[in-house]
Amino acid sequence: MKVPFLDLHAQYLLVKDQVDNAIRNTVNGAVFVRGEAVALFEDRFKALVDTGNCISTGSGTDAIFIILKTLGIQPGDEILTPAFSWISSSEVISLCNAKPVFVDVHPETYTIDPALIEKKITPKTKAVIVVHLYGQAAQVAEIKKICDKHALFLIEDCAQAHLTEENGKYTGTCGHAGAFSFYPTKNLGAYGDAGGIITGNDELAAKMRRFSNHGALTKDDHLLEGMNSRMDTIQAAILLAKLPFLKNWNEMRRASARLYNDLLRDVTGVSLPSVRPGTVHTYHQYVIRAVNRDKLRKYLEEKDIQTLIHYPQALPDLPAYRYLNHVPEEFPVASRLQHQVLSLPVYPGLTEEQIRYVAAHIKEFYTKN
Ligand SMILES: *Cc1c(COP(=O)(O)O)cnc(C)c1O
């Protein structure tokens, strides 16, 4: 048996007719940028997550960047951000000539640890970025209180958390703004780069829309300089076709996670992903902590089971951040996780048989090693 890490072609086959129609209609309509599907997708997405505004963007990375620029982040400002994440959440801070201030993550949830935030706040701190890593909700309600107390902006990176919930609310709706990625591999993925911002603040939303379109809301109305970051009509049409399936696909991911949990619960050497009480996980990734991780990964590869590591290096350890002169001891949890985390295949269409095959070989590895 073969277990690929992800099978985007199989996912395409689940919605082939809808997607083929969406593409054909867009090509026939020939409005490739700012076409009707874009506004329609924004309307449907904001209604789904229950917020006031959705502004589509060219990518998830752009979405966070546009939020920072619109909130008025200036050179020299400090932004707190998790030490364990994809690079987008910190690189956009540097793009504003502001300083990424890394905060270690919680040892069980792997999201930014609220208990460590206040220690890192200085008079230069302007905002906190939380990342809902792997589909697990970060402790936004608690972090919101800290942000309110210190008059900081709260930005949610929801690139891995489409319809993740905390206390009955979807992620992205608690902070000043939430950033989404619709990169092809995400829980809701386009067929190329695409992203979006949600915010309940109409004034911010208007600024974001302007910034993402060369500083103009209508043609030639350039009140300021912005950038070109727009979702293509064809991507919006594809996302519209896929949107009705998102809840069900998330449910399939949760079912896969439950089965993995049942099968791996008693395997010594493996720590299962936690789910914080009061939250709904969407398992963008199903990530275990594994003793002897690299050897396990190689063993699984020999059995035709693909796994990935999200992420092999904590952000402060990356060459890109050498200039900040951090040492791993400053981020003990992130520094440990980079050697332990292993992402197992999880996607709509993964079969029970495949999950049993993966779990059986993990079990077998630990009886031999
Ligand atoms: C994918 C991802 C992004 C960036 O999204 P792009 O659309 O690829 O720019 C940002 N943050 C996290 C946590 C991600 O996983």
Side-chain angles (χ1 to χ4, degrees), residues 112-115 117-118 121 127-130 132 138-156 166-167 169 172-177 199-201 276:
I112 192 167
D113 190 340
I117 288 179
E118 280 194 299
I121 296 175
V128 176
I129 298 179
V130 301
H132 303 292
Q139 280 140 282
V140 264
E142 190 178 339
I143 295 167
K144 179 76 166 44
K145 284 187 199 144
I146 302 172
C147 288
D148 286 348
K149 182 172 150 200
H150 296 273
L152 305 176
F153 296 118
L154 175 59
I155 299 155
E156 298 181 59
E166 188 193 45
N167 304 326
K169 280 178 67 179
T173 58
C174 182
H176 291 83
T199 178
N201 183 319
R276 231 164 26 82

Side-chain angles (χ1 to χ4, degrees), residues 260-261 263-273 286-292 296 340 342 344 359 362-363 365-366:
Y260 272 130
N261 286 344
L263 297 168
L264 295 173
R265 185 157 287 125
D266 299 321
V267 179
T268 38
V270 171
S271 303
L272 302 178
Y286 180 91
V287 179
I288 58 169
R289 292 201 312 271
V291 173
N292 234 334
L296 169 64
Q340 299 176 330
L342 186 67
L344 305 182
I362 294 174
K363 212 177 253 181
F365 172 82
Y366 285 108

Side-chain angles (χ1 to χ4, degrees), residues 59-61 64 85-86 88 131 157 159-160 181 183 186 193-194 311:
S59 74
T61 308
I64 320 172
S85 176
W86 175 240
S88 297
V131 179
D157 178 341
Q160 303 188 1
S181 167
Y183 182 76
K186 309 289 176 166
D193 279 307
Y311 297 92

Side-chain angles (χ1 to χ4, degrees), residues 10-60:
Q11 207 196 58
Y12 162 64
L13 295 179
L14 297 176
V15 285
K16 186 179 183 308
D17 289 346
Q18 294 91 328
V19 166
D20 288 354
N21 274 335
I23 294 172
R24 198 176 320 108
N25 289 342
T26 307
V27 176
N28 278 325
V31 183
F32 297 112
V33 177
R34 291 164 69 99
E36 264 174 31
V38 178
L40 198 54
F41 173 73
E42 291 175 342
D43 283 348
R44 296 253 172 93
F45 194 71
K46 80 176 183 201
L48 180 64
V49 298
D50 194 17
T51 188
N53 303 275
C54 172
I55 302 98
S56 56
T57 61
S59 74

